[in-house]
C-alpha cells in the first residue's frame, strides 16, 4: 500500500510539472530505437506505471529491472508480438479492461481525488479568484489590504481544502473532517471510500451497498465475471484475504470502476501523459505475457544443474567443507542456482530482440551496457590488458561478465575477471563467485576442471582454507581425470598447504587458464 501511495504522489508530481514547466524537458530525447524516439517523459511514465503494477509471482518481471533495461526490453518484446492476433485482441479482453480501469483509477484518484479533492483546475481557480482575501501572505507588516496575495500555483491545495470543507456536509455518524487530524487521515486513505460512495450515489440515486450479494458482487454494478476477471490483480496474500472476506476487494473494484468512469467523463484520460501511461501499461502487459507463455518454457527446457558442482558452491556459502547439508538450505541453494541459470538464458533470448531495436543512446545519464557487440568488447578488453592497462581492462571484463555471461566472450571475461580478482587483496571471494558463475554455463569437463582447479588454488594458497581446497582438488580427480590440470590438482593435494618451490608459478598458470 505504501509503495503504491508513494508512486501515486510521484506520478502526480510529474503530471503537475508537465503542466507547469515547458515541454522541452519532458520531450528531451533520451534514445532512438529505429524510428521511435524515447523521451524523458516515456522514461518517467514507464517508472510510474511500473510502480502501479500489481504484484505477481511472474518470473523476469520487466518492471523490476532498472529503468533503461526494463523499458527497452518491454519495447523490444512488444514490437515482436504487437501484430500477433493473440496479443492484438488481448486489449479487448475483460481481464485487460479491468486492469486498464485499475491504472486509470490509480492515476485519477492520486492526482484529482486526493491532491485536488475531486475539483478541476477551473473550479479551484474560480474559488481562488473570489476568495483572494483568504490567500494573503502571512507575517508581513501592514494591513491585510497591503499584504500580497499568494499566487494560485502556491496555494492550489489550500484552495481545494477550503472549497471542499465549505461544501462538506458532516454526517453525525462519521468523524468531522473540519478537525485537522481527521482530515489528514482522510487525505491519506479515507478519500477513496468517500468518493466511491459519493459517485455511486450520484449515479444510482441510492446509498452504496453495505454488503455483497449472493454472487460475491454488487447487484447491477459488479457481477461474478467482473470479480473473476480482476482476481489476477491480487497478490497471493491478498487472494487469501479475499477468500475469507470478499467485501474489501469488491469495494476496490467499485472504486476502480467509478473512478475510471469519472476520469473518462471529465476528459482526464484524454490527456497526453495519461494516454502515454496507458500505452506503456499495455506494452508491459503484452511483453510480460509473452515472457510467461513463450520464453519461460524455453528457459526451463535449458535448465541443467550439476549437483556435484552445486555441492561445492554450497560449501562455499557454509565456509566449511565439513558442514552438514541441511535439506532446507540445500533446496534454497539449488533454487538460487536455478534462478541464476534462468537469468543467463533469459539474457541470451532478450539480447537479440534488443539488438533488433537498433538503440542509440542520446544522453549520458540514460543508457546501459546491453547494446554492445561482445566480440568487439572482448577485443577491446584484451587489448587494454595486453597494453598494461589493468584497471581499464578489469572494468571492460566486468561489463562483459555482467551483461554477456551467456556468450563465449562473456565466459572468457568471467575467467579473466576472476584471475585478476584472485591476485588482488580482498577480492578472493569475488574471484570464487565469478568462477562459480562461469561453471553455470560450462558443460565441457575440461572447462569445469579449469575453474574448479583455480578455486582450489585460491582456497589453498591465498585463503588458507585447506578443507575447501581439498574438496576442489578431489572433485577434479573424480569428475575430470583426463583434464590437463588433473595432474596439478593431484600434486597440490599431496602437498596441501606445504610451501614448495614453484607453487606460486603453478598457481599463476592455473589462474591464467582460459585467457588465450
Amino acid at each position: 500500500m505504501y509503495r503504491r501511495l508513494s508512486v501515486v504522489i510521484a506520478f502526480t508530481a510529474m503530471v503537475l510539472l508537465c503542466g507547469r514547466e515547458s515541454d522541452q524537458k519532458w520531450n528531451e530525447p533520451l534514445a532512438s530505437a529505429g524510428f521511435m524516439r524515447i523521451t524523458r517523459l516515456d522514461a518517467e511514465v514507464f517508472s510510474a506505471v511500473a510502480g502501479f503494477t500489481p504484484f505477481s509471482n511472474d518470473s523476469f518481471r520487466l518492471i523490476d529491472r532498472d529503468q533503461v533495461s526494463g523499458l527497452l526490453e518491454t519495447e523490444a518484446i512488444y514490437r515482436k508480438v504487437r501484430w500477433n492476433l493473440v496479443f492484438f485482441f488481448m486489449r479487448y479482453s475483460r481481464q485487460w479492461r479491468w486492469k486498464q480501469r485499475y491504472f486509470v483509477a490509480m492515476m485519477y484518484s492520486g492526482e484529482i481525488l486526493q491532491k485536488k479533492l475531486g475539483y478541476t483546475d477551473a473550479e479551484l481557480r474560480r474559488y481562488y479568484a473570489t476568495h483572494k482575501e483568504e490567500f494573503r501572505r502571512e507575517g508581513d507588516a501592514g494591513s491585510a489590504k497591503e499584504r500580497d496575495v499568494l499566487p494560485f500555483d502556491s496555494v492550489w491545495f489550500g484552495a481545494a481544502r477550503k472549497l471542499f470543507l465549505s461544501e462538506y456536509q458532516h454526517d453525525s455518524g462519521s468523524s468531522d473532517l473540519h478537525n485537522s487530524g481527521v482530515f489528514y487521515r482522510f487525505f491519506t486513505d479515507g478519500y477513496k471510500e468517500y468518493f466511491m460512495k459519493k459517485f455511486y450515489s450520484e449515479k444510482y440515486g441510492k446509498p452504496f451497498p453495505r454488503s455483497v450479494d449472493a454472487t460475491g458482487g454488487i447487484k447491477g454494478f459488479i457481477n461474478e465475471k467482473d470479480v473473476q476477471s480482476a482476481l489476477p490483480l491480487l497478490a497471493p496474500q491478498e487472494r487469501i484475504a479475499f477468500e475469507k472476506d470478499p467485501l474489501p476487494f469488491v469495494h476496490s473494484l467499485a472504486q476502480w470502476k467509478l473512478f475510471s468512469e469519472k476520469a473518462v467523463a471529465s476528459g482526464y484520460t484524454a490527456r497526453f501523459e495519461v494516454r502515454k501511461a496507458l500505452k506503456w501499461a499495455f506494452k508491459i502487459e503484452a511483453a510480460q505475457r509473452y515472457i510467461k507463455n513463450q520464453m519461460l518454457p524455453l528457459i526451463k527446457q535449458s535448465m541443467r544443474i550439476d549437483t556435484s558442482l552445486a555441492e561445492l558452491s554450497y560449501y562455499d556459502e557454509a565456509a566449511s567443507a565439513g558442514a552438514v547439508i541441511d535439506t532446507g538450505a540445500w533446496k534454497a541453494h539449488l533454487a538460487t542456482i536455478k534462478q541464476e541459470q534462468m537469468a543467463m538464458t533469459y539474457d541470451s533470448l532478450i539480447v537479440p530482440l534488443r539488438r533488433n531495436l537498433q538503440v542509440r543512446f542520446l544522453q549520458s545519464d540514460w543508457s546501459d551496457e546491453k547494446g554492445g557487440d561482445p566480440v568487439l568488447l572482448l577485443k577491446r578488453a584484451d587489448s587494454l590488458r595486453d597494453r598494461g592497462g589493468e584497471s581499464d581492462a578489469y572494468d571492460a571484463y566486468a561489463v562483459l561478465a555482467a551483461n554477456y555471461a551467456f556468450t563465449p566472450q562473456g565466459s572468457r571475461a568471467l575467467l579473466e575477471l576472476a584471475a585478476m580478482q584472485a591476485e588482488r587483496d580482498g577480492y578472493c571471494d569475488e574471484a570464487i563467485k565469478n568462477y562459480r558463475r562461469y561453471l553455470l554455463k560450462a558443460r565441457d569437463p575440461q572447462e569445469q576442471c579449469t575453474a574448479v582447479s583455480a578455486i582450489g588454488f585460491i582456497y589453498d594458497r591465498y585463503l588458507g582454507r585447506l578443507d575447501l581446497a581439498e574438496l576442489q582438488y578431489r572433485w577434479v580427480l573424480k569428475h575430470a581425470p583426463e583434464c590437463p590440470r588433473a595432474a596439478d590438482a593431484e600434486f597440490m593435494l599431496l602437498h596441501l598447504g606445504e610451501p614448495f618451490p614453484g607453487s606460486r608459478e603453478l598457481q599463476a598458470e592455473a589462474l591464467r587458464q582460459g585467457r588465450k
Side-chain angles (χ1 to χ4, degrees):
M1 170 189 156
Y2 296 109
R3 174 175 178 266
R4 291 182 185 176
L5 176 60
S6 64
V7 172
V8 167
I9 293 172
F11 182 81
T12 302
M14 181 194 69
V15 171
L16 291 173
L17 286 171
C18 282
R20 295 174 188 177
E21 294 184 357
S22 67
D23 290 338
Q24 185 174 358
K25 173 187 175 182
W26 297 105
N27 287 331
E28 179 185 22
L30 300 179
S32 62
F35 294 108
M36 176 186 179
R37 187 181 67 164
I38 298 169
T39 66
R40 196 165 295 280
L41 181 60
D42 283 305
E44 294 304 315
V45 166
F46 178 87
S47 292
V49 170
F52 288 136
T53 301
F55 175 84
S56 75
N57 285 325
D58 290 342
S59 299
F60 308 109
R61 297 203 328 152
L62 294 163
I63 61 172
D64 291 336
R65 297 172 82 79
D66 66 86
Q67 185 189 76
V68 179
S69 299
L71 186 152
L72 293 175
E73 288 170 19
T74 297
E75 182 65 26
I77 296 173
Y78 179 72
R79 288 196 190 184
K80 179 177 177 62
V81 305
R82 58 182 167 178
W83 301 121
N84 183 299
L85 290 180
V86 173
F87 294 94
F88 181 79
F89 287 112
M90 187 182 79
R91 69 177 70 242
Y92 303 107
S93 67
R94 183 185 289 265
Q95 184 174 330
W96 170 249
R97 190 157 62 246
W98 270 108
K99 204 160 193 176
Q100 189 173 30
R101 284 171 175 163
Y102 163 83
F103 281 115
V104 171
M106 290 294 288
M107 292 184 286
Y108 181 75
S109 65
E111 184 192 351
I112 304 300
L113 301 184
Q114 183 183 41
K115 292 296 184 181
K116 298 180 180 178
L117 299 173
Y119 297 110
T120 64
D121 277 345
E123 290 171 323
L124 294 179
R125 288 183 182 279
R126 279 198 299 271
Y127 180 84
Y128 169 80
T130 55
H131 297 77
K132 284 189 176 182
E133 292 300 317
E134 300 177 16
F135 300 103
R136 288 192 177 276
R137 195 183 308 276
E138 296 181 1
D140 291 348
S143 66
K145 290 184 179 180
E146 294 173 341
R147 293 201 298 269
D148 293 337
V149 174
L150 294 167
F152 174 77
D153 284 351
S154 66
V155 297
W156 58 269
F157 179 70
R161 181 178 178 179
K162 288 176 180 291
L163 177 56
F164 179 83
L165 292 177
S166 71
E167 299 178 349
Y168 167 71
Q169 298 295 322
H170 177 225
D171 183 352
S172 59
S174 62
S175 301
D176 187 0
L177 294 181
H178 290 90
N179 178 289
S180 58
V182 174
F183 183 84
Y184 176 78
R185 290 192 293 274
F186 169 83
F187 171 73
T188 55
D189 197 45
Y191 71 95
K192 292 181 181 179
E193 185 175 359
Y194 171 83
F195 283 110
M196 173 186 71
K197 292 177 178 179
K198 181 176 184 292
F199 294 162
Y200 184 89
S201 178
E202 290 174 353
K203 182 175 181 178
Y204 294 100
K206 57 183 179 181
F208 188 85
R210 295 189 175 185
S211 60
V212 297
D213 59 26
T215 67
I218 298 175
K219 187 175 181 180
F221 184 53
I222 304 291
N223 59 40
E224 186 176 7
K225 287 185 177 180
D226 291 327
V227 174
Q228 294 303 315
S229 297
L231 275 178
L233 291 167
L234 288 181
Q237 65 271 22
E238 293 174 330
R239 182 75 69 97
I240 295 172
F242 167 78
E243 298 295 339
K244 295 179 179 178
D245 181 11
L247 187 59
F249 181 56
V250 173
H251 275 201
S252 294
L253 295 186
Q255 291 172 12
W256 302 344
K257 187 173 183 179
L258 290 166
F259 295 173
S260 60
E261 288 174 350
K262 205 73 171 179
V264 172
S266 66
Y268 177 81
T269 53
R271 290 162 56 170
F272 176 73
E273 66 275 8
V274 176
R275 286 188 288 112
K276 186 175 281 290
L278 291 176
K279 184 177 180 180
W280 277 112
F282 182 76
K283 286 183 176 183
I284 292 172
E285 180 77 5
Q288 206 64 61
R289 189 169 298 190
Y290 178 80
I291 291 173
K292 180 178 181 179
N293 296 335
Q294 305 296 325
M295 294 176 68
L296 198 55
L298 294 175
I299 292 171
K300 289 181 176 179
Q301 287 175 14
S302 69
M303 289 297 303
R304 179 185 159 191
I305 296 178
D306 187 322
T307 53
S308 69
L309 290 172
E311 283 185 16
L312 295 181
S313 55
Y314 179 89
Y315 290 121
D316 287 345
E317 293 181 0
S320 171
V324 177
I325 295 182
D326 174 78
T327 303
W330 174 247
K331 288 182 178 178
H333 182 65
L334 291 180
T336 300
I337 293 174
K338 177 183 176 182
Q339 198 60 38
E340 289 175 349
Q341 279 194 358
M342 290 176 66
M344 203 175 285
T345 306
Y346 170 81
D347 285 341
S348 72
L349 296 174
I350 199 66
V351 163
L353 297 180
R354 272 279 306 261
R355 193 170 291 125
N356 290 339
L357 277 183
Q358 300 178 335
V359 176
R360 186 166 65 92
F361 294 113
L362 304 175
Q363 303 294 335
S364 60
D365 66 337
W366 203 85
S367 63
D368 66 8
E369 303 286 354
K370 297 181 183 296
D373 183 338
V375 174
L376 296 179
L377 290 173
L378 182 61
K379 286 182 178 179
R380 177 177 177 273
D382 287 343
S383 176
L384 289 169
R385 181 203 63 201
D386 295 340
R387 293 202 307 266
E390 183 175 331
S391 178
D392 290 337
Y394 182 95
D395 292 340
Y397 286 128
V399 168
L400 261 170
N403 299 289
Y404 301 98
F406 59 90
T407 66
Q409 296 77 23
S411 294
R412 265 280 315 284
L414 282 168
L415 289 177
E416 292 285 352
L417 191 62
M420 288 180 171
Q421 289 167 332
E423 296 169 2
R424 288 186 173 189
D425 290 339
Y427 280 79
C428 286
D429 288 337
E430 294 302 315
I432 291 171
K433 288 178 183 178
N434 278 319
Y435 280 126
R436 295 295 184 208
R437 282 192 70 204
Y438 171 83
L439 289 167
L440 290 175
K441 187 172 178 291
R443 295 289 182 263
D444 182 73
Q446 184 166 328
E447 294 176 345
Q448 295 172 340
C449 169
T450 297
V452 176
S453 295
I455 294 172
F457 280 123
I458 293 172
Y459 276 130
D460 185 359
R461 299 297 165 176
Y462 283 111
L463 297 177
R465 298 304 309 271
L466 304 185
D467 57 335
L468 291 169
E470 181 178 353
L471 272 183
Q472 319 305 315
Y473 297 145
R474 292 195 182 282
W475 186 95
V476 171
L477 296 176
K478 179 179 178 180
H479 296 277
E482 304 302 321
C483 169
R485 308 308 306 172
D488 294 333
E490 183 175 16
F491 179 80
M492 296 300 290
L493 187 59
L494 290 171
H495 301 277
L496 197 62
E498 298 178 8
F500 57 91
S503 63
R504 184 164 293 278
E505 288 76 11
L506 184 63
Q507 177 182 356
E509 183 181 347
L511 293 175
R512 286 195 299 269
Q513 287 296 309
R515 281 187 172 181
K516 297 183 178 180

